């Protein structure tokens, strides 16, 4: 692509009029500014303009892949074996140099993360199976035409390189190379036509982004934003240009002047692929203007840029910073001893692209893969800085590599020493500045702990809370032994018929008649986070408490909640003192004989809650090492379906029961090394006790929760099974799960702030 040379701003006078001619760069900047203004003015109403931007992006993309293939075949096919080896050797060494500088900065920026006491709610990604990165399929095409059709860029590049290298030894190749060169130039002209609408495309993309960006997401991820953007700007505008200007005949100002169109387009589109032809043209133009005697420069540039594009650039590798951030974000920062392995693993994995590599890196570091969703959110902003960095790195790398191949490097020891000193001092200054800002502006308190303490139930029906059932266990036993039945009648009988209500007992005046009451009596286990507990205000809270409200709402009845002890609950259910037990009760072999369960309503995952100390974590993460322990004790709250299996698997480990999890944490002496619970409950408990963290077994182990009901009320059991079948697929229970288990705040989806709505009030 060779767009006409234009001046950034030119003016001419015609008669009495005055007209401004704006070059491509000025038009792009104007499109960028207008896009921001339109996005802020119209807000989410500007989201449709993304279509305009995508038309532009797709227009650029349609010719890039065939262009890369033909240019690589022509480039390598025109080389001799000696020149190909020289190209590989020089470019390879420089690539290692650029990686070393970039990854060193990534490591340094982890020092900016402030000290923070943090834990998180349960994340489904914690238990998702790992997916292997199929590097073989990605790089070695079994069918090159399929690779072209599916845009498998690394596979297309490898095929093109091998095809071009094979052409080196072919005698009658001139005709083929000439024809392919014509095709390559034709594709460049097609791209040049599309580039002319860059200002319009930039306007559409910017307006859509400015109108839909969620400010809350920016605040939530500010630590990562500051560290990431600081890294990108330092490498793009200081480190790499400094290396280039120190080693080549080109100055920093010359490179910026020539490459500004490519840099602005890369930043606004967030797509490095589409600016490859622009970069090729810019590099060729710079060599032609500043080193006109280097006539072979265009030839090497045509090869280097498409080939180097497929290697992990720092725009991609800087995403490794998210692995360190993710560990910090969930309160499990990686130790410095893990840094080398993280970088060594990440470098080859990122050949496969960020969307595959980053989830893989999160998994092998034991981090919730669902953290990747945070990365996706951050990509709205960071992706543009990453593309800007990749564009500048590729430009600087190409200029240095081609200068090296053509013997145009300028290596002066004094200049190298000064450049190195500037690089080191500047890096330290950036790290110190970012660290100071983050330590001053990012709260270190565990805000999610406050969140879980203040969670509240959506109250749908009138209710009362009682600390104990209307009968004590002793009173109940006395009446049963005396031949008196304290049964209150089945729930459905009370609700929908008068016969049972007339026969129901007054229970010594403690309750109203069943007919007038129409109350669902729900038993709860106290202090059973996150299923049923008292929040910081002393109000009843929890997942199952909210489900009880939803159930009562659909039954059009009131609620009475009774705290019951676990060993007494079966007798209270059997005698109709309570109608249902809703408090995270697992289905166990032992309890099947004690309870009449509904169908399962939730599947939860087995986990250990262990002290957040490396020596303890290492033991629980290694099953063989854990099996060898003889002085370990594990606490749990009965009933638990896995205690028999735990005793069989870890025969040397002690098992200690507790009434509640709070009793475990309150124990001062002789506290067990871990607490056996579900990962869902353990995650919530870790928010209250941030010195503990959840560890999952190597193989996922699940168990079901269900609601025990009055065994004499078969109609109610049937109704509950039908209601659960419908409710589990409803948005109502989904939002309840998201709030109580995943910790998603309950927020009304309000339109994004905009001038037209929130300032002028022209629209609702």
């Amino acid at each position: 692509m060779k767009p006409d040379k234009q001046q950034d701003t030119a003016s001419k006078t015609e008669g009495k009029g005055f007209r401004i001619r704006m070059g491509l760069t000025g038009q792009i900047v104007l499109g960028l500014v207008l896009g921001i203004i339109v996005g802020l003015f119209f807000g989410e109403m500007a989201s449709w303009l993304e279509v305009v931007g995508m038309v532009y992006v797709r227009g650029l993309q349609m010719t890039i892949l065939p262009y890369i293939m033909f240019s690589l075949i022509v480039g390598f096919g025109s080389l001799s074996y000696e020149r190909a080896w020289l190209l590989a050797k020089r470019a390879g060494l420089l690539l290692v140099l650029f990686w070393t500088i970039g990854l060193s900065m990534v490591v340094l920026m982890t020092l900016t993360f402030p000290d923070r006491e943090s834990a998180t709610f349960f994340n489904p990604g914690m238990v998702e199976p790992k997916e292997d990165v199929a590097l073989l399929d990605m790089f070695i095409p079994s069918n090159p035409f399929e690779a072209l059709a599916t845009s498998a860029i690394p596979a297309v590049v490898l095929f093109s390189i091998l095809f071009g290298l094979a052409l080196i030894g072919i005698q009658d190749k001139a005709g083929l190379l000439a024809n392919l060169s014509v095709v390559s130039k034709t594709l460049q002209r097609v791209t040049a036509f599309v580039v002319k609408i860059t200002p319009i495309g930039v306007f559409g993309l910017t307006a859509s982004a400015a109108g839909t960006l969620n400010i809350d997401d920016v605040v939530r991820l500010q630590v990562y934003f500051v560290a990431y953007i600081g890294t990108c700007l330092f490498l793009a505008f200081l480190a790499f240009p400094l290396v280039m200007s120190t080693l080549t005949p080109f100055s920093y100002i010359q490179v910026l002047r020539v490459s500004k169109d490519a840099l602005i387009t890369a930043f606004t589109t967030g797509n490095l692929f589409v600016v490859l032809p622009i970069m090729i043209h810019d590099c060729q133009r710079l060599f032609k203007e500043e080193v006109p005697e280097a006539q072979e420069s265009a030839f090497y540039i045509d090869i280097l840029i498409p080939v180097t594009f497929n290697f992990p650039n720092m725009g991609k590798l800087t995403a490794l910073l998210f692995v360190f951030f993710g560990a910090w974000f969930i309160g499990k920062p990686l130790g410095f001893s893990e840094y080398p392995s993280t970088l060594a693993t990440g470098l080859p994995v990122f050949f496969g692209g960020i969307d595959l590599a980053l989830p893989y890196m999160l998994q092998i570091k034991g981090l919730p893969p669902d953290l990747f969703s945070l990365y996706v959110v951050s990509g709205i902003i960071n992706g543009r800085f990453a593309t800007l960095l990749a564009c500048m790195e590729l430009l600087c790398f190409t200029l240095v590599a081609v200068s090296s191949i053509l013997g145009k490097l300028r290596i002066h020891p004094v200049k190298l020493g000064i450049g190195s000193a500037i690089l080191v001092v500047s890096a330290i200054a950036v790290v110190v500045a970012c660290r100071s800002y983050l330590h001053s502006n990012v709260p270190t308190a565990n805000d999610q702990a406050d969140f879980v303490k203040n969670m509240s139930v959506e109250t749908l029906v009138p209710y009362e809370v009682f600390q104990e059932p209307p009968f004590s266990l002793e009173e109940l036993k006395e009446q049963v032994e005396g031949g008196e039945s304290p049964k209150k009648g089945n729930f459905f009988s009370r609700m929908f018929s008068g016969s049972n209500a007339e026969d129901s007992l007054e229970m010594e005046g403690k309750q109203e008649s069943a007919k007038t009451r129409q109350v669902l009596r729900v038993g709860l286990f106290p202090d059973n986070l996150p299923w049923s507990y008292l929040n910081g205000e002393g109000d009843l809270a929890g997942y199952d408490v909210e489900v009880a409200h939803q159930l009562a709402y659909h039954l059009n009845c009131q609620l009475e909640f009774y705290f019951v002890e676990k060993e007494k609950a079966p007798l209270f259910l059997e005698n109709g003192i309570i109608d249902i037990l809703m408090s995270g009760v697992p289905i166990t072999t032992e309890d099947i004989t004690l309870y009449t369960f509904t169908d399962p309503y939730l599947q939860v995952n087995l986990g250990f809650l262990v002290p957040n100390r490396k020596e303890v974590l290492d033991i629980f993460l290694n099953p063989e090492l854990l099996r060898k322990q003889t002085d370990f004790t594990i606490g749990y709250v009965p009933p638990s379906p896995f205690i028999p299996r735990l005793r069989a698997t870890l025969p040397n480990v002690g098992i200690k029961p507790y009434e509640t999890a709070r009793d475990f944490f309150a124990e001062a002496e002789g506290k067990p090394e871990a607490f056996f619970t579900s990962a869902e409950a353990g995650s919530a408990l870790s928010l209250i006790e941030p010195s503990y963290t959840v560890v999952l077994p190597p193989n996922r182990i699940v168990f079901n929760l269900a609601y025990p009901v009055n065994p004499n009320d078969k109609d109610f059991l049937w109704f509950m099974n039908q209601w659960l079948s419908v409710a589990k697929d409803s948005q109502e229970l989904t939002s309840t799960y998201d709030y109580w288990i995943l910790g998603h705040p309950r927020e009304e989806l309000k339109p994004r702030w905009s001038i037209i709505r929130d300032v002028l009030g022209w629209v609702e």
Side-chain angles (χ1 to χ4, degrees), residues 22 27 57 73 99 165 233 257 384 458 505 536 564 674 727:
M22 189 175 292
Q27 294 173 21
V57 171
I73 292 174
W99 282 343
L165 291 174
L233 294 179
R257 175 179 57 82
R384 301 177 188 278
E458 285 193 326
L505 301 175
V564 298

Side-chain angles (χ1 to χ4, degrees), residues 449-468:
D450 294 332
F451 177 75
V452 74
K453 290 176 182 177
N454 294 309
M455 295 176 80
S456 59
V457 169
E458 285 193 326
T459 303
L460 301 178
V461 297
Y463 72 97
E464 290 185 86
V465 181
F466 301 90
Q467 294 301 312
E468 58 183 20

Side-chain angles (χ1 to χ4, degrees), residues 411-418:
I411 301 177
H412 302 291
V414 175
K415 192 175 181 181
L416 281 175
I418 295 174

Side-chain angles (χ1 to χ4, degrees), residues 91 94-100 102-103 135 138-139 154 240 272 305-320 343-354 357 386 389-390 393-394 397:
L94 285 172
L95 200 57
V96 171
L97 172 64
F98 276 67
W99 282 343
T100 301
L103 292 177
L135 294 176
M138 215 172 288
F139 285 93
F240 293 149
L272 182 65
I305 288 183
V307 170
T308 309
F309 168 79
N310 290 278
F311 285 82
N313 56 63
M314 283 312 304
K316 290 181 179 179
L317 291 176
T318 307
L320 280 170
L343 298 177
T345 305
L347 188 57
V349 168
F350 269 81
F351 272 91
I354 292 178
L389 168 59
E393 179 193 15
L394 193 50
F397 170 83

Side-chain angles (χ1 to χ4, degrees), residues 277-504:
I278 304 175
M279 285 192 287
I280 291 173
H281 173 263
D282 289 344
C283 289
Q284 290 175 344
R285 173 185 168 190
L286 191 59
F287 265 98
K288 185 176 181 180
E289 292 177 356
E290 305 300 329
V291 193
E293 67 274 13
Q295 298 181 358
E296 292 184 318
S297 59
F299 172 78
Y300 285 110
I301 290 169
D302 275 333
I303 297 174
L304 270 174
I305 288 183
V307 170
T308 309
F309 168 79
N310 290 278
F311 285 82
N313 56 63
M314 283 312 304
K316 290 181 179 179
L317 291 176
T318 307
L320 280 170
L321 188 62
F322 187 82
V323 178
F324 300 105
F325 166 78
W328 171 87
F329 187 77
I330 66 170
K332 301 177 183 178
L334 299 181
F336 288 110
S337 61
E338 299 180 75
Y339 281 30
S341 63
T342 303
L343 298 177
T345 305
L347 188 57
V349 168
F350 269 81
F351 272 91
I354 292 178
D355 291 342
L356 288 174
L358 195 54
Y360 178 78
M361 291 299 299
L362 292 173
Q363 289 185 359
I364 65 175
K365 287 301 172 184
L367 303 175
D370 199 55
L371 280 173
F372 185 67
S373 61
L374 287 180
Y375 177 82
V376 173
V377 171
S378 72
I380 298 173
I381 296 176
N382 285 354
R384 301 177 188 278
F385 286 93
T387 310
L388 175 70
L389 168 59
C391 182
M392 179 59 88
E393 179 193 15
L394 193 50
L395 284 166
C396 292
F397 170 83
T398 302
L399 293 175
V400 177
V402 173
S403 297
S404 174
I405 294 170
L406 299 178
K408 299 297 181 180
L409 287 185
R410 297 179 178 178
I411 301 177
H412 302 291
V414 175
K415 192 175 181 181
L416 281 175
I418 295 174
S420 300
I422 294 174
L423 190 63
V424 171
V425 172
S426 301
I428 294 174
V430 170
V431 170
V432 170
C434 292
R435 180 178 174 83
S436 299
Y437 171 80
L438 292 175
H439 277 252
S440 301
N441 293 277
V442 175
T444 58
N446 187 3
D447 54 348
Q448 285 196 316
D450 294 332
F451 177 75
V452 74
K453 290 176 182 177
N454 294 309
M455 295 176 80
S456 59
V457 169
E458 285 193 326
T459 303
L460 301 178
V461 297
Y463 72 97
E464 290 185 86
V465 181
F466 301 90
Q467 294 301 312
E468 58 183 20
F471 277 97
S472 68
L473 186 61
E474 290 73 18
E475 292 174 318
L476 185 59
K477 287 180 178 178
E478 286 178 5
Q479 293 197 29
V480 172
E481 291 172 357
E484 299 180 24
S485 174
K487 293 183 180 180
K488 300 294 297 289
N490 297 342
F491 173 71
F492 259 51
S493 299
R494 297 198 314 270
M495 283 294 297
F496 303 115
S497 72
S499 59
N500 190 73
E502 294 170 359
D503 298 334
S504 65

Side-chain angles (χ1 to χ4, degrees), residues 42-53:
F42 290 101
E44 292 177 351
M45 289 185 287
S47 60
W48 68 271
L49 288 170
E50 184 181 12
V51 176
V52 177

